[in-house]
């Protein structure tokens, strides 16, 4: 049972964050750093409990949930260190009697709206950067997964982070539009950071435009995974398995379209199918051998079914899987399709489920054109052992992140974000804190 907050509670949380903002922003960076470090240590100390909460909330296998907690904690550690490295500038002036200074200051209250697929890491990746910069935050967690946000709040309290600095507004799906509207329109909110669908991101951008808020948007993906004839097929299969089926295909950077060159296509499909059948196990997330938990809800299952049905009706072949699993309505078999074309829904929309469609291509130019045909561009992957091709394709792919001979690319040190309709801004890395800082020019005259 979780509190179901509405517009009134959202406004109250914004005022709490605003009220705490002055003291928090004036705190020396070293002290903010120490508090974030203490929060990190408490998360690590509670990693097993936090992982069990994630598995209970969204069904991902416990091993994956444990990995998420460590990933989540890494952002608290990273930005605890970055808090002390917010540097300004002194710029040589053209007049003798003045000096030009550049200061970096916190933007103010940041509203953080997060998804259900990484209910802990998507919070810390945003909140740690905001708090390190001197901002306070209001977190609206996904309706399906509020408990991880509340658990992090409890640990923030234990770490000594002052009241009002980290606020959580859990709400039902019915209340979400009203809460989101308050966060995007309240003049006391200076910044919106959102991870979720492109459609929702566009709504939030329109709402935020009324008060010209700073925005960061990490939106939908449609990642291509290209396997060239020169690739090491066994490594490509291993990378494909990791990229596609992590969290049952419910990640924004997971592969949505496999493009395999003609010369190795049949070999790749055969080995990929065997790997799926051998290594993937559908089950309860708390079962040690489970690698594929349930999808988040029946609507998600229905989308996978719709994509498979559309593809098969247009000539695609089901190599393995293809239907709901006998365990229950939200469980789906890991599925591989061949004979797929670019006219099929599964290559035009993000599936967000355990479906791998394979398209056969002939030339590098053809593969890059198909990959870039999408209106989004978050992540892209390709396997090749041709150095010249690696440079060409890495530069030509219209995505914010590229994995070369690697299917898992997220890390705290790396800038995470997309191009085109996949969003605005970057999270993590040394660049992530800039999203929560304003640049102030100071002209010091009369010298």
């Amino acid at each position: 049972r979780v509190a179901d907050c509405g517009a009134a509670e959202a406004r109250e949380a914004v005022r709490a964050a605003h009220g705490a903002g002055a003291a928090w922003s004036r705190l020396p960076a070293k002290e903010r750093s120490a508090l974030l470090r203490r929060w990190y240590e408490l998360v690590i100390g509670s990693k097993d409990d936090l992982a069990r909460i994630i598995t209970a909330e969204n069904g991902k296998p416990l091993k994956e949930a444990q990995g998420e907690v460590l990933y989540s904690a890494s952002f608290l550690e990273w930005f605890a260190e970055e808090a002390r490295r917010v540097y300004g500038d002194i710029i040589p002036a053209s007049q003798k009697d003045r000096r030009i200074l550049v200061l970096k200051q916190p933007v103010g209250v940041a509203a953080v709206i997060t998804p259900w697929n990484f209910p802990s890491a998507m919070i810390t990746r945003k909140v740690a950067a905001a708090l390190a910069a001197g901002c306070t935050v209001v977190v609206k967690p996904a309706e399906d997964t509020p408990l991880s946000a509340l658990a992090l709040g409890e640990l923030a309290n234990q770490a000594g982070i002052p009241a009002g600095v980290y606020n959580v507004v859990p709400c039902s799906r019915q209340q979400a539009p009203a809460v989101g509207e308050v966060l995007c329109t309240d003049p006391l909110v200076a910044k919106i950071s959102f991870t979720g669908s492109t459609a929702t991101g566009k709504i939030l951008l329109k709402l935020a435009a009324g008060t010209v808020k700073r925005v960061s948007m990490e939106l939908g993906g449609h990642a291509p995974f290209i396997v060239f004839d020169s690739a090491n097929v066994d490594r490509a299969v291993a990378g494909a398995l990791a990229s596609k089926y992590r969290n049952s295909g419910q990640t924004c950077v997971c592969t949505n379209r496999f493009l395999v060159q003609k010369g190795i296509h049949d070999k790749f499909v055969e080995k990929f199918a065997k790997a799926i059948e051998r290594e993937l196990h559908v089950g309860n997330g708390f079962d040690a051998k489970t690698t594929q938990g349930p999808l988040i809800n029946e609507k998600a299952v229905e989308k996978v079914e719709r994509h498979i049905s559309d593809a098969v009706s247009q000539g695609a072949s089901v190599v393995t899987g293809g239907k709901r699993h006998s365990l229950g309505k939200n469980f789906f078999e890991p599925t591989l399709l061949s004979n797929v074309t670019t006219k099929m829904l599964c290559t035009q929309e993000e599936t967000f489920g355990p479906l791998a469609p394979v398209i056969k291509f002939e030339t590098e130019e053809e593969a890059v054109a198909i990959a870039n045909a999408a209106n989004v561009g978050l992540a892209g992957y390709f396997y090749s052992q041709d150095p010249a091709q690696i440079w060409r394709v890495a530069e030509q792919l219209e995505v914010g992140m590229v994995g070369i001979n690697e299917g898992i690319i997220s890390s705290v040190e790396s800038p995470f974000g997309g191009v085109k309709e996949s969003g605005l801004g970057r999270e993590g890395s040394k660049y992530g804190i800039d999203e929560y800082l304003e640049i102030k020019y100071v002209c010091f005259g009369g010298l």
Side-chain angles (χ1 to χ4, degrees), residues 15 37 49 72 88 177 204 220 223 236 295 300 376 441:
R15 270 137 195 80
R37 179 75 196 187
D49 286 343
S72 174
L204 299 182
L295 273 64
V376 292
Y441 157 47

Side-chain angles (χ1 to χ4, degrees), residues 199-215:
T200 302
K202 289 177 178 179
I203 293 168
L204 299 182
L205 280 168
K206 287 178 182 177
L207 289 170
T211 46
V212 196
K213 298 190 191 310
R214 287 276 296 275
V215 292

